Amino acid sequence: MAKVIGTVEIDSAKCKGCNLCVVACPTDVLALRAKEVNDRGYHFAYAADPEKCIGCASCALVCPDACIEVYKVISN
Amino acid sequence: MTKEEIISAGGSKVAAKPRLLLDVNMHYCPGCSHGVVHKLVAEVIDELGMEDTAIGVAPVGCAVFAYNYIDVDWVEAAHGRAPAVATALSRLNPDATVFTYQGDGDLAAIGTCETIHACNRGENIAIIFINNGIYGMTGGQMAPTTLEGMKTSTTPYGRRVDLNGYPLNITSLVKELDGTCYVTRQAVHTPAAVRKAKAAIKQAFINARDKKGTSFVEIVSTCNSGWKMSPEKANKWMEENMFEKYPLGELKNTVNPK
Ligand SMILES: Cc1ncc(C[n+]2csc(CCOP(=O)(O)OP(=O)(O)O)c2C)c(N)n1
Ligand code: SF4
Ligand code: SF4
Ligand code: SF4
Ligand SMILES: [Mg+2]
């Protein structure tokens, strides 16, 4: 059966740790780094469970700082 | 799979930073709706091939630096006067597509007169109206759009109608004016809402380009700093409180009537 596989690239330097992408992701891929901050002091987002990504781009749509790139392929 | 593996397996990039959004850090608070709407404006201008013909008018308010973020021509207007400046720009540059980007304090308080008369004259402009129910930039004071009972720095016990009057629903008001061709109310709190808001902004830019009259797109927004909530909580609060007074949907469309 065809399977949709996605991946995200997050610009962690630009991320403001607002958590909106984490909330928007339907498959719970994303999380904020709990113990790490970027140069501006934000707990940035990262793909904590990347295997679950379906490339739906929900995270990128709601990100106010345009930090997220999404790639997607349909594999058989 | 990594990005490289996806590409070599025949996949593609399905989302990225809009080309016309400049590569700088926007000054907005984390999770602010302004950022999402900036992305949509940048994408729409690019998709419509208006990079060299769009002229924006920036407001006074948190979006005062919009000209630093979206790579098109901009003029900065005095507080509330964006529709008047846009009137001149659009009349003097008939080949341009002119839009304003304004907050509720800018558009529905100090600029009420300019808003109503530009809409009533049917100026061929697109008005993008960010309604977060508060003066975000100056520290969260009450705006005309502030909901009854809503706490702000100037209504610490909540807005009182007997003292402060009723929340102003200016979008419903401009719908009644003969000069408006397209009036809609949107939001950007979910992926689906973002898609719809983008389609609305696109329609407004097309109408302005095609000289159909005034298009008015309200984006019911959050100001999580002014509301003193997390971005996530602010979105919830907006759904539960703002949408009752400011319900989403199309209010008027004389260009593509249903
Ligand atoms: C003539 C004038 N009066 C008052 C101000 C102070 N002022 C700056 S921004 C603002 C209100 C901004 O609120 P809004 O338009 O809702 O924008 P937001 O920051 O919420 O996006 C006010 C009253 C000013 N800059 N100029
Ligand atoms: S593309 Fe979709 S599934 Fe993948 S991280 Fe973003 S929201 Fe989650
Ligand atoms: S939505 Fe954007 S800015 Fe907010 S946490 Fe996610 S990547 Fe960072
Ligand atoms: S004060 Fe409010 S409107 Fe201004 S950037 Fe912060 S969250 Fe956005
Ligand atoms: Mg405001």
Side-chain angles (χ1 to χ4, degrees):
Chain A
M1 217 188 80
K3 191 174 174 239
V4 187
I5 299 174
T7 196
V8 290
E9 283 229 322
I10 303 179
D11 185 342
S12 49
K14 258 184 128 179
C15 172
K16 292 178 186 159
C18 72
N19 207 45
L20 291 180
C21 57
V22 178
V23 176
C25 177
T27 57
D28 297 325
V29 171
L30 305 170
L32 299 185
R33 287 266 182 219
K35 292 188 179 156
E36 231 179 304
V37 292
N38 62 17
D39 283 353
R40 294 188 300 150
Y42 294 120
H43 292 280
F44 52 91
Y46 74 111
D49 205 347
E51 300 301 314
K52 287 197 207 148
C53 180
I54 53 169
C56 68
S58 294
C59 53
L61 281 166
V62 301
C63 174
D65 288 275
C67 308
I68 307 179
E69 278 187 357
V70 183
Y71 296 81
K72 177 167 124 175
V73 69
I74 298 169
S75 86
N76 293 301
Chain B
M1 277 168 104
T2 64
K3 151 185 157 184
E4 288 75 20
E5 285 164 349
I6 285 185
I7 298 287
S8 64
S12 58
K13 194 191 272 189
V14 291
K17 182 181 84 62
R19 190 178 66 89
L20 294 179
L21 205 61
L22 289 160
D23 202 12
V24 292
N25 289 320
M26 295 194 278
H27 72 284
Y28 299 115
C29 306
C32 176
S33 306
H34 276 299
V36 184
V37 183
H38 279 27
K39 275 194 323 190
L40 300 184
V41 170
E43 281 175 6
V44 162
I45 293 174
D46 200 13
E47 286 169 21
L48 294 174
M50 291 178 179
E51 183 176 357
D52 297 322
T53 50
I55 307 176
V57 185
V60 170
C62 278
V64 68
F65 294 136
Y67 49 76
N68 283 338
Y69 304 143
I70 302 174
D71 195 10
V72 295
D73 287 337
W74 287 88
V75 175
E76 173 61 47
H79 202 12
R81 315 305 180 220
V85 176
T87 296
L89 287 169
S90 113
R91 290 185 179 203
L92 295 170
N93 300 280
D95 296 331
T97 300
V98 179
F99 69 99
T100 73
Y101 183 105
Q102 305 176 257
D104 48 321
D106 191 80
L107 180 144
I110 193 168
T112 311
C113 173
E114 283 74 11
T115 303
I116 288 180
H117 285 292
C119 288
N120 195 49
R121 292 191 304 270
E123 298 297 339
N124 296 311
I125 59 176
I127 294 177
I128 312 299
F129 167 38
I130 310 299
N131 180 11
N132 53 20
I134 207 163
Y135 290 1
M137 184 199 212
T138 43
Q141 294 84 357
M142 179 185 68
T145 46
T146 298
L147 300 179
E148 186 176 353
M150 184 172 167
K151 289 191 174 115
T152 69
S153 58
T154 45
T155 56
Y157 304 107
R159 180 181 186 148
R160 267 172 54 191
V161 162
D162 62 337
L163 188 66
N164 311 118
Y166 293 95
L168 177 59
N169 189 332
I170 195 149
T171 304
S172 299
L173 216 135
V174 302
K175 172 200 161 210
E176 299 302 326
L177 303 175
D178 292 335
T180 51
C181 62
Y182 179 54
V183 180
T184 182
R185 197 182 286 113
Q186 303 290 333
V188 291
H189 61 310
T190 63
V194 173
R195 287 200 173 89
K196 277 193 189 167
K198 180 175 171 184
I201 292 171
K202 197 169 202 172
Q203 183 63 54
F205 273 72
I206 291 170
N207 295 345
R209 178 195 67 195
D210 296 348
K211 316 293 175 215
K212 300 286 190 190
T214 309
S215 294
F216 194 96
V217 182
E218 172 177 352
I219 313 282
V220 185
S221 297
T222 64
C223 168
N224 61 76
S225 287
W227 297 3
K228 306 200 188 310
M229 294 173 195
S230 69
E232 188 185 340
K233 177 92 201 305
N235 275 340
K236 270 243 132 42
W237 193 89
M238 174 177 72
E239 279 184 65
E240 288 163 6
N241 297 278
M242 297 277 281
F243 291 175
E244 194 185 327
K245 174 73 189 172
Y246 307 115
L248 305 189
E250 193 168 284
L251 285 80
K252 180 179 188 178
N253 191 343
T254 62
V255 182
N256 300 307
K258 288 239 161 66

